[in-house]
Amino acid sequence: MFHTRFRPKYDVLYGVSDWRDKYLDKWIAHKKQEVQASGGVVTVGMLLQLEDLAKKALINYYNQPITMVEAKFITSQTLARKILANVTSVPGTDIYIDELLKSRYSPISVRDNKSISRMPKNDNRVPGDYDAFVAMLKDALTKQTALDAALYLAIRRACKFGIEYVMEYRGGTIHYIIDGITMADVVGKTEMPINMGLQTGVPITTSELRFIFRNWHWFREKVDDGLVFWFKDTPTTAPWITDPKLWIPYAAQRIRKYKAAKQGSNDYETDKVNSFEKYAPIDPALAIEYFGMIKMTDKLIQSD
């Protein structure tokens, strides 16, 4: 049961917001029952404290200093300063924001050419071309769309950063709630209404799960202590372990990129790549096991 594994002040929940709220509501209800069962009285002050702990167990809380920034500043040279200024309004986010700004997932990174080329992942109205994006910023009719997409990308990256931050810096556990998520949509990067229906694009949950999957060589060692997947209030295996066949196409895509980048280098893991390619058509579970042995990237959080 979730309430027996969740540690407030350390752990953070990921997943679809409605489902995260349901899990935390059950945790609060259980805490109330514990007090009443021991003959105690549930006071208003106690409830407020529990609600505050629940609020601070959501990654959204730690990203508030970013979401509080007006979209018009997302491409500004003053962005970092404005984010840091917001930290004082969101207690307990200072270390998180400091580390985020030093990492390759920093909101500042959305200004570079490579990031602009990835904009369509966030909003299909924004062309994945730097010059076209700049032109949108100069046009009063399209400027807000471009800025909203850039801000959404900054939040998406911060959410990825938060996964390792919780494990490494806080010694906490990521509780990933997969209720309400269709894994075929994650694998296929299905576009749908995002950002409170203001845009159409790939949900942040899709990016998070694909991020965990392609870095499975690192995250697989953290399962149980640092990473727990939940479904129907029960710990469950990672989605690609539950249904490996569904994830084979994405794994094969990652392997192709890995081969193009690493083949011939000293750290190219030939045997594991060959084993993945051998078993992918006949034994998806074993192929995914080999995929998880391949070191696709270095340590996830990297300071500039």
Side-chain angles (χ1 to χ4, degrees):
M1 300 288 281
F2 174 75
H3 67 260
T4 64
R5 299 284 298 272
F6 173 59
R7 299 173 301 160
K9 299 183 180 179
Y10 294 97
D11 299 352
V12 173
L13 278 70
Y14 274 69
V16 177
S17 58
D18 288 348
W19 281 100
R20 290 180 300 172
D21 291 344
K22 289 178 182 178
Y23 275 68
L24 288 170
D25 286 345
K26 287 183 179 180
W27 172 76
I28 290 174
H30 179 76
K31 286 297 180 183
K32 289 165 60 179
Q33 290 170 3
E34 284 183 341
V35 172
Q36 293 165 341
S38 63
V41 177
V42 178
T43 64
V44 172
M46 187 182 299
L47 280 176
L48 290 174
Q49 184 180 32
L50 289 172
E51 289 171 359
D52 185 63
L53 288 171
K55 176 181 69 176
K56 292 176 180 176
L58 299 172
I59 190 60
N60 310 55
Y61 179 83
Y62 296 92
N63 287 333
Q64 279 188 66
I66 304 170
T67 57
M68 289 166 65
V69 174
E70 290 183 70
K72 66 181 181 181
F73 294 114
I74 196 67
T75 56
S76 167
Q77 297 293 332
T78 64
L79 176 60
R81 190 160 66 245
K82 291 187 177 296
I83 291 173
L84 288 169
N86 289 334
V87 166
T88 56
S89 301
V90 193
T93 61
D94 50 339
I95 298 176
Y96 171 83
I97 291 296
D98 283 344
E99 294 298 331
L100 172 61
L101 289 172
K102 290 190 294 184
S103 78
R104 60 189 170 120
Y105 298 104
S106 171
I108 299 170
S109 68
V110 302
R111 293 199 304 257
D112 63 41
N113 291 25
K114 185 177 180 181
S115 294
I116 300 303
S117 70
R118 301 174 73 85
M119 284 293 176
K121 295 178 72 175
N122 310 292
D123 189 325
N124 59 16
R125 296 172 295 170
V126 180
D129 175 83
Y130 183 77
D131 292 334
F133 179 78
V134 171
M136 287 185 73
L137 291 176
K138 293 178 179 178
D139 187 329
L141 295 177
T142 56
K143 181 177 181 178
Q144 193 60 48
T145 295
L147 291 172
D148 287 342
L151 179 59
Y152 193 74
L153 176 59
I155 297 166
R156 176 192 298 270
R157 288 183 170 175
C159 288
K160 293 176 183 177
F161 169 86
I163 294 173
E164 190 188 355
Y165 171 84
V166 170
M167 298 180 192
E168 293 289 280
Y169 287 79
R170 288 179 51 155
T173 297
I174 292 293
H175 297 277
Y176 209 109
I177 314 300
I178 61 173
D179 298 81
I181 299 175
T182 301
M183 290 304 158
D185 288 338
V186 175
V187 175
K189 288 204 303 185
T190 303
E191 293 189 347
M192 55 190 72
I194 58 175
N195 198 15
M196 296 182 293
L198 298 175
Q199 299 159 278
T200 300
V202 178
I204 288 179
T205 49
T206 291
S207 293
E208 292 164 350
L209 286 167
R210 289 167 68 93
F211 169 74
I212 295 171
F213 175 69
R214 64 177 175 266
N215 292 289
W216 191 232
H217 70 279
W218 190 85
F219 286 115
R220 70 202 294 260
E221 304 298 330
K222 307 291 183 180
V223 170
D224 291 334
D225 291 332
L227 174 64
V228 181
F229 291 96
W230 293 88
F231 182 66
K232 294 184 177 179
D233 200 28
T234 303
T236 187
T237 55
W240 36 93
I241 303 301
T242 303
D243 187 359
K245 185 177 180 180
L246 177 66
W247 290 81
I248 286 293
Y250 185 40
Q253 175 191 332
R254 297 305 304 179
I255 290 292
R256 287 193 293 273
K257 288 188 176 183
Y258 173 82
K259 289 171 68 174
K262 293 281 191 177
Q263 200 157 22
S265 64
N266 293 332
D267 57 349
Y268 179 67
E269 302 185 72
T270 307
D271 292 346
K272 294 168 187 173
V273 170
N274 290 344
S275 293
F276 169 81
E277 293 178 329
K278 174 183 177 180
Y279 290 107
I282 57 176
D283 191 339
L286 186 56
I288 292 297
E289 182 69 19
Y290 278 111
F291 175 83
M293 297 178 187
I294 301 170
K295 186 180 180 182
M296 294 284 177
T297 61
D298 295 322
K299 186 171 174 60
L300 302 185
I301 294 180
Q302 298 174 348
S303 297
D304 293 336

